[in-house]
Amino acid sequence: MRNAFESNNRRMLPERFHSEFLGAALRASLNGDRSLFEGVWERCAPDFWDCPSNARVETEYGRDGYAWIDILIRDMEYGLAVGIELKTRDESVEKGQLEACRRALCAEFGEECAAIVFLTPFNRQHAARVSQDAAEMLQAVEVFEEFSMGSGCTPTRHLSWLDVADIHWPGGGDLWREYREHVEGTIASMHRVEELVMRNRTFDDFFGMQAAEEFWNRLRYAFRNSGSWDHKGVRVIELGEVKGGPGELAAAIRILIEHGERVAHRVKQSGFSERSRQRFVDSEHGWIHQALFGLAIEFPYVWLDGGKDYRLSVRHRDHGDGLSLVTSQGTGRLLIGQRH
């Protein structure tokens, strides 16, 4: 039987949907089987706050047409307020958003009566089930921990969607069962963390420390005055910020191709059409793209593929599908180090 929350391509539902759905489920639980509401309150509220008998659940709560928080749970008897800010993708996490929510809720309900919960696919505890390094790669963990250190006396908690899916709510019937399956299979699938770890392994792992160090040094030179580069994860290059010549990015990539450990010299044909290439060559940053395209011509084990955007990849002995060195996002942005 098909899950009501899944599409054929397992496309992620928008975050607004999840806040409205969870809010509606909490209201239904308040008016019937309270196990879901009590389970969420237990996970979200400070330990010394008793579960309220008289509560209200609101979504997109705010003032003057501006929403402060995705879900607000209010204890109507004691004036306590738990604000839940939720994300269904780690990449949609924004710095400063939690602090803005905290300030707004404290101003509305008083600092002693407000608590902030960050609900994301994974928190530190759940990510650590994959590896100890996985949590360090999550934007949500970094943002929450930085926020919580500066949140003063405001109680804060970071929950994984798996903590919500763990709640048994018989009153929710098949719909809640299917939603729990959707959370575990799509929003917070452990495969997503495993992919993140693989994608964020450093070039040291793939190409050796010496080649990787030379690559990063050359890349920093191409992006002098930009302090955003380090050795972790996929890096976004805004081509308008390039300070060096148009061939410097290609020169940095060449280091990995020529001197990287375990690069395999097996021929691979490119699958990116000349017509598609021309759009990039004709763009404002055409010389940079053209220099990268030249690597696929020069080295038979380096190739281009894609449709609207392209990937420049290299053969690797440990990864039969190759390693993606550069991936385009339109003609003005490139991702460095994203694996297939």
Side-chain angles (χ1 to χ4, degrees), residues 253-260 263 295 299 301-302 314 325:
I253 296 293
R254 178 187 290 274
I255 293 170
L256 299 176
I257 296 170
E258 292 186 325
H259 304 296
V263 169
L295 296 174
F299 298 97
Y301 44 92
V302 175
V314 64
L325 299 168

Side-chain angles (χ1 to χ4, degrees), residues 272-283 293:
F272 192 59
S273 71
E274 289 296 332
R275 182 177 180 180
S276 297
R277 295 187 198 196
Q278 198 61 43
R279 181 171 75 93
F280 290 88
V281 172
D282 293 340
S283 70
F293 295 163

